[in-house]
Amino acid sequence: MVAIDFTAKTKELIDNLKGICTTYGLGNDGNEFKIITQVFLYKFMNDKFGYEVKQLEPKLAQAESWEKEISKYTDEQYEMLLLRMKPENAKLKREHFLANLYNKQDKEEFAKLFDDILRDIAIFNNDIFSVKTGTGAKIILFDELSNYITDSSQRDNFCKAIVNQLVNFSFEKIFNQKFDFFSTIFEYLIKDYNKDGGGKYAEYYTPHAVSKIMASILVDKPVSNVTCYDPSAGSGTLLMNLAHAIGEDRCTIYSQDISQKSTSMLRLNLILNNLVHSIQNIIQGNTMLTPYHKVGDKLMTFDYIVSNPPFKLDFSEYVSSLDTKQNKERFFAGFPNIPKKDKDKMAIYPLFIQHIMFSLSDKGKAAIVVPTGFITAQSGIEKKIRERLVEQKMLRGVVSMPSNIFATTGTNVSILFLDKANTKGDIVLMDASKLGTTVKDGKNQKTLLSDEEEQLIIETFNKHEAKEDFTVVVSYEQIKEKNYSFSAGQYFEVKIEYTDITPAEFETKMNGFKMNLDNLFAESKTLEKEIQKQLNRLKYE
């Protein structure tokens, strides 16, 4: 009940912050998402700091105002308190507290004070919360948010409205909640900013059903001290589900994504989901051209990889830079031809599949969203990749999903599962395309899977069960015989049902067929005569 109540209150806070942005002319502005997400994060960090220091100092928990009580500490006492905090928690100076801002609203240039405090928090916690670009530059936690208000005379009022909204609510009672709560909040927080209309490098949000299925099939037994990677991480839905399935304290996250907006969202997602220790591994950059994560001169390999890569993208400007001796093994199947027009329709996802195959550790597992056409293509890069997966015995299976599982694209998708330890075969091919219920999602149709259908997919796959018209379990040799097709439907048995009947029943059926034919023939002759009769009546006038 507490979680339900706080979910509603948190969503109300988000809506109110968006209302303030609208009032000050920033509704649907390109910078609105920065203001909303960063203000939300500041509030979250402030309350989390209060929660953590109360665990360390019981007298702070008993005080009417922990901020007032902590203001009595000497500088040395306060420094010792900060040193006792967990390394993944944000450290705040006393002037950073939200209560301090609230009490200084009568100060001149309040907007500057607001910006200075956020910037100082970012600098004070730079080693923990900064993400890096591919060149090593650090992207700090907070921007100067008031500068997004073009009318400088309104900046103070804007910041005061934000602060007054934040003090009406506290997160403290929900810090013991786990993934499901914070994933819901995160989705609501970014729902207006993670659309597919964002231009060349638009972010696509992976549906929860797909994310859950991928994570639950990949993590089918307890593991610890493992590495998890997404080379096209977006806002991190796949990584969060994977980390939750493993245990946030039993894995380390690595990622790369070309989008600065997605990288900022992923950082927020990590903070909300108790994965702050992995923020240093979040990279904004071009994974295909300049993969960041390396051990020495060699690319790092990972225990678990998840990816919903962009399917089509114009990468013609740098495809020649990929075709090098150093990349020969990474891109063993080659590169697509550059079309003379419609370059944005270049299929980039086969490059991500090859990169993922190259990035798996010796016992690594991967789950990749691919267009369903990939699993049966009979030529080109796609066919070469499937042949390599079979030859190197690293295919675990495929799940073909229902159409419109992504509301934003009409492309049918499948999930490709890899496992470098699956040398004996026993490959599961599943056709889940008939599952789900179609609903209206704005202007689009969307297919939703029920909890029972999700579990059916997960349990059937993990148990390696063969079910009629749903799953088959095949060997590498059988896949070779089918010309490397990964489509379950091509392996289903065609069944002809036979019904035993007696000679008398056979005689009765045949007599019935003959009588029916006689009647049809008689009717046909009558029609022929009528047609002839009508034709004879026709005259030229």
Side-chain angles (χ1 to χ4, degrees), residues 524-539:
S524 175
K525 288 177 181 178
T526 302
L527 287 172
E528 287 175 12
K529 290 179 180 179
E530 181 63 27
I531 292 169
Q532 288 287 351
K533 182 178 177 182
Q534 294 298 329
L535 284 172
N536 289 333
R537 289 180 179 178
L538 294 175
K539 292 182 180 181

Side-chain angles (χ1 to χ4, degrees), residues 470-521:
F470 186 55
T471 53
V472 291
V473 181
V474 298
S475 67
Y476 288 116
E477 289 303 317
Q478 287 174 292
I479 291 178
K480 288 180 183 179
E481 291 170 5
K482 289 287 187 180
N483 204 18
Y484 298 93
S485 172
F486 292 176
S487 173
Q490 296 194 21
Y491 297 83
F492 291 153
E493 290 184 16
V494 178
K495 294 185 177 181
I496 302 174
E497 294 186 4
Y498 296 93
T499 304
D500 291 333
I501 59 176
T502 65
E505 289 172 333
F506 177 77
E507 184 75 20
T508 301
K509 281 184 175 288
M510 291 305 295
N511 287 336
F513 292 148
K514 289 176 182 178
M515 186 178 295
N516 192 35
L517 278 172
D518 288 341
N519 290 335
L520 290 172
F521 288 151

Side-chain angles (χ1 to χ4, degrees), residues 31-200:
N31 293 308
E32 184 190 18
F33 91 94
K34 294 180 181 179
I35 294 171
I36 298 299
T37 56
Q38 291 184 32
V39 165
F40 182 91
L41 182 55
Y42 169 57
K43 170 63 173 172
F44 182 88
M45 292 171 67
N46 182 89
D47 291 357
K48 185 72 180 291
F49 181 87
Y51 174 83
E52 294 294 338
V53 295
K54 288 176 184 179
Q55 310 304 307
L56 296 173
E57 296 278 355
K59 65 179 180 180
L60 295 177
Q62 296 165 5
E64 183 177 344
S65 167
W66 65 269
E67 294 98 337
K68 287 183 179 178
E69 186 64 29
I70 212 169
S71 67
K72 300 174 184 177
Y73 283 35
T74 65
D75 290 345
E76 185 177 352
Q77 288 174 322
Y78 192 77
E79 183 66 27
M80 290 301 298
L81 179 64
L82 294 184
L83 289 173
R84 291 167 59 198
M85 293 184 68
K86 298 174 184 177
E88 66 270 18
N89 289 329
K91 310 291 192 297
L92 301 183
K93 300 175 185 177
R94 281 174 280 194
E95 58 266 31
H96 293 161
F97 297 162
L98 177 59
N100 175 60
L101 264 177
Y102 179 75
N103 292 329
K104 291 185 177 180
Q105 291 185 68
D106 58 343
K107 299 288 184 181
E108 291 186 11
E109 297 187 321
F110 180 74
K112 183 177 183 303
L113 174 65
F114 181 85
D115 287 338
D116 286 347
I117 284 177
L118 291 188
R119 185 173 60 252
D120 196 48
I121 292 173
I123 294 170
F124 196 50
N125 293 276
N126 207 24
D127 291 341
I128 306 173
F129 293 107
S130 289
V131 297
K132 290 179 285 190
T133 66
T135 59
K138 289 187 175 182
I139 303 172
I140 65 171
L141 197 58
F142 296 119
D143 296 315
E144 295 183 351
L145 298 182
S146 74
N147 286 342
Y148 294 124
I149 302 292
T150 53
D151 183 353
S152 59
S153 67
Q154 292 297 313
R155 290 174 182 170
D156 284 354
N157 289 335
F158 171 73
C159 293
K160 289 177 184 178
I162 291 288
V163 168
N164 286 326
Q165 189 58 239
L166 297 181
V167 297
N168 293 327
F169 167 69
S170 174
F171 285 115
E172 280 194 46
K173 292 183 180 179
I174 59 170
F175 289 126
N176 60 346
Q177 298 295 323
K178 296 296 182 183
F179 171 77
D180 289 334
F181 174 83
F182 287 111
S183 63
T184 301
I185 293 304
F186 180 76
E187 281 184 37
Y188 193 80
L189 181 63
I190 69 167
K191 68 183 177 71
D192 294 327
Y193 314 124
N194 207 33
K195 306 291 187 182
D196 64 332
K200 186 174 181 181

Side-chain angles (χ1 to χ4, degrees), residues 222-247:
V223 294
S224 61
N225 195 29
V226 294
T227 55
C228 304
Y229 173 56
D230 189 339
S232 55
S235 56
T237 308
L238 291 177
L239 283 171
M240 295 306 103
N241 277 270
L242 180 60
H244 179 60
I246 293 170

Side-chain angles (χ1 to χ4, degrees), residues 307-342:
S307 181
N308 176 19
F311 289 171
K312 295 179 181 179
L313 190 69
D314 177 10
F315 59 99
S316 57
E317 61 192 45
Y318 63 82
V319 67
S320 59
S321 300
L322 297 177
D323 193 4
T324 64
K325 184 178 180 181
Q326 291 85 351
N327 277 327
K328 187 175 181 180
E329 184 55 29
R330 182 162 72 121
F331 299 118
F332 64 88
F335 309 91
N337 295 322
I338 301 173
K340 293 182 180 179
K341 58 180 181 178
D342 296 331

